[in-house]
Amino acid sequence: MVLLAVAAGCSRESPEQAVRDRIESLQEAVDARDAGDVADMLADDFIGNDGLDKQGARQLAAGMFLRYRDVSAKLGPATVELRGARDAVATFSVLATGGSGGLLPDSGQVYEVETGWRLVDGEWKLLSAEWRPKL
């Protein structure tokens, strides 16, 4: 019994890794062009640049997916810092591109991103995001 308890405890994902996995899931939702999945990862009180809320973020994602047939987000390594047991901050860079299916994207930009995360009912939700063009 003790060995089973120890094994179960060892297989548990660290909070830092759980946040990294959620960031990866967010990238996958963008790559899949799924605005609903993007919105599902946001906290109800999400806030982004210029007061962007959860509904606005969903609409922004949907608009980008309609405008560009090919949308891609390539993330750099994330740094995750826990702030207590239920909050975390993650920073990373992202290359965001959108195109019409040709060899080169129609538009692209590298951003420096700082995100805030909160553990809600056992799941990490994106609480805030601030992005600044890097180039």
Side-chain angles (χ1 to χ4, degrees):
M1 283 297 239
V2 172
L3 287 177
L4 286 175
V6 169
C10 291
S11 65
R12 188 181 220 185
E13 187 175 55
S14 73
E16 293 93 342
Q17 186 59 48
V19 170
R20 288 179 204 285
D21 289 347
R22 291 300 284 176
I23 293 168
E24 185 177 315
S25 294
L26 187 58
Q27 176 185 0
E28 290 169 359
V30 169
D31 288 345
R33 302 168 42 91
D34 193 326
D37 279 355
V38 169
D40 287 346
M41 293 182 206
L42 306 181
D44 289 338
D45 55 346
F46 170 82
I47 189 78
N49 285 20
D50 300 321
L52 184 72
D53 65 2
K54 182 176 182 173
Q55 182 62 25
R58 186 183 199 293
Q59 291 171 340
L60 177 63
M64 294 306 289
F65 300 153
L66 286 173
R67 181 174 179 188
Y68 297 108
R69 186 170 31 167
D70 294 318
V71 174
S72 178
K74 302 298 181 217
L75 305 181
T79 301
V80 178
E81 177 187 333
L82 289 180
R83 302 228 171 132
R86 303 183 62 76
D87 294 295
V89 172
T91 57
F92 50 91
S93 59
V94 62
L95 169 61
T97 61
S100 58
L103 289 176
L104 297 174
D106 294 335
S107 67
Q109 177 63 266
V110 176
Y111 295 93
E112 193 62 38
V113 182
E114 181 173 297
T115 57
W117 296 82
R118 178 187 301 144
L119 189 59
V120 177
D121 297 328
E123 186 175 50
W124 287 96
K125 295 283 191 172
L126 183 58
L127 177 64
S128 64
E130 181 181 337
W131 55 95
R132 295 171 299 285
K134 205 171 178 183
L135 299 177

